[in-house]
């Protein structure tokens, strides 16, 4: 049986992943889409931005691995047969990358790094004080949220983690429920979205949440573009709640050249690079799940399709 990699537009990455998979597991047979043999041989697919209609063309498909952490493209695919399992590909490099991105975003905002960059161009020496610690509310305390919370805690921030279950982690205040969220948001200097995209979380970064944020606070969205109500953010920034937004993900990617976010003075944009999937680390996670599938053992990072993450 065969594992098929489907990364349209990223064929070089797909071929590198195939080579890494063959190194990690010599017995594995790997194809890179669109070069495939008999569709009946495909037992597992690794996918990112796969074409619609593809996943119901493999009658013996048992498992699909997202090439990354987000699975909304798989959970929401009507062509993925019900009995097929979904797993995520989340290695420590992905979580470390996310932690580094968020710590840097918070540090740049608190210290005014953008101002120093301009000062350097003008040869101006202008030291400015900054607050020594911030309160950060993390929306989502999964693999990414935990790594981000630990990294922020290690540099002295107070971290409040909000999740569906309110799962407890050491050295962090862990909370759950919309009512409690309304109580903690006004305490936050920074709000970071690390939620999966589901019907419950879509548009969560909108007018109601912004009203509860502190004046001059920072919003960081590294979850998905559809978490954010874009027009609400533009109005909220005009009112100063939040005072600045760092956005890595967008409803439409690449962000269209005419989009008002590009030129907004209170928005910092990065092109969906907060945490990248390292093909070598990914190959190890994928091979592990391939072997578990063959042995009939429990899969790692299995998605609950009914919850959507
Ligand atoms: P996980 O599935 O490990 O964690 C999801 C977290 O969100 C859990 O804590 C879960 O709660 C919580 N959650 C889910 N639904 C709700 C809800 N309705 N209300 C409150 N909390 C909720 O995901 P990851 O941490 O691995 O990744 C999070 C997201 O980050 C991904 O889905 C992806 O969209 C994004 N991402 C972005 C990247 C980038 O480069 N910008 C890179 C990697 C990921 P509970 O613990 O109770 O289940
Ligand atoms: C992911 C991402 O989900 O890169 O891994 O956004």
């Amino acid at each position: 049986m065969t594992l098929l990699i489907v990364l349209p537009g990223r064929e070089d990455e797909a071929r590198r992943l195939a080579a890494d998979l063959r190194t990690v597991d010599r017995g594995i047979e790997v194809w890179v889409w669109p070069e495939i043999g008999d569709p009946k041989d495909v037992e597992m697919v690794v996918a990112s931005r796969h074409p619609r209609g593809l996943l119901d063309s493999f009658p013996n498909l048992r498992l699909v691995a997202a090439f990354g952490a987000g699975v909304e493209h798989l959970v929401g695919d009507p062509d993925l047969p019900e009995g097929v399992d979904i797993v995520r590909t989340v290695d420590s490099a992905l979580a470390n990358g996310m932690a580094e991105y968020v710590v840097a975003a918070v540090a740049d905002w608190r210290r005014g790094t953008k101002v120093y960059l301009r000062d350097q161009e003008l040869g101006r020496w202008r030291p400015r004080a900054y607050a020594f610690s911030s309160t950060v509310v993390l929306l989502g305390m999964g693999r990414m949220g935990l790594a981000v919370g630990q990294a922020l805690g290690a540099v002295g921030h107070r971290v409040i983690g909000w999740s569906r279950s309110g799962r407890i982690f050491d050295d962090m205040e862990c909370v759950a429920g919309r009512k409690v969220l309304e109580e903690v948001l006004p305490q936050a200097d920074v709000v970071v979205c690390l939620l999966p995209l589901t019907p419950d979380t879509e548009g969560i970064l909108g007018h109601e949440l912004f009203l509860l944020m502190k004046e001059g606070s920072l919003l960081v969205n590294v979850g998905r573009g559809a978490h954010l109500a874009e027009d609400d953010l533009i109005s909220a920034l005009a009112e100063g709640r939040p005072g600045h937004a760092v956005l890595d993900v967008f409803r439409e990617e690449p962000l269209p050249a005419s989009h008002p976010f590009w030129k907004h003075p209170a928005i910092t944009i990065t092109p969906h690079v907060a945490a990248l999937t390292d093909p070598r680390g990914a190959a190890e996670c994928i091979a592990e799940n391939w072997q578990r599938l063959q042995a009939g053992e429990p899969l790692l990072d299995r998605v609950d399709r009914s919850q959507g993450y």
Side-chain angles (χ1 to χ4, degrees), residues 32-71:
V32 174
W33 188 82
E35 287 157 24
I36 69 165
D38 186 345
K40 285 207 244 12
D41 288 344
V42 175
E43 194 176 11
M44 177 171 174
V45 167
V46 177
S48 175
R49 296 176 188 258
H50 63 281
R52 280 288 145 98
L54 182 72
L55 295 178
D56 68 357
S57 54
F58 308 116
N60 294 314
L61 182 63
R62 293 169 64 200
L63 178 61
V64 183
F67 187 60
V71 287

Side-chain angles (χ1 to χ4, degrees), residues 67-72 89 94 98 222-224 248-249 272 275-277:
F67 187 60
V71 287
E72 69 285 354
T89 303
L94 194 73
M98 185 59 86
V222 277
R224 284 291 180 260
D248 182 59
V249 286
H272 201 146
L276 299 178
T277 300

Side-chain angles (χ1 to χ4, degrees), residues 88 141-144 162-165 196 222 224 248 275 309:
R88 309 188 308 130
M141 286 302 288
R143 296 286 286 275
M144 303 299 123
W162 183 72
S163 67
R164 207 161 55 87
S165 59
V222 277
R224 284 291 180 260
D248 182 59
Y309 72 97

Side-chain angles (χ1 to χ4, degrees), residues 137-152:
V137 167
L138 298 180
L139 307 178
M141 286 302 288
R143 296 286 286 275
M144 303 299 123
L146 178 59
V148 169
Q150 287 170 336
L152 288 167

Side-chain angles (χ1 to χ4, degrees), residues 14 33 70 73 81 89 133 137 167 182 205 212-213 222 250 255:
W33 188 82
H73 57 298
T89 303
S133 152
V137 167
R167 206 146 56 106
E182 286 170 19
L205 306 176
L212 293 165
M213 286 180 73
V222 277
F250 303 90
L255 186 65

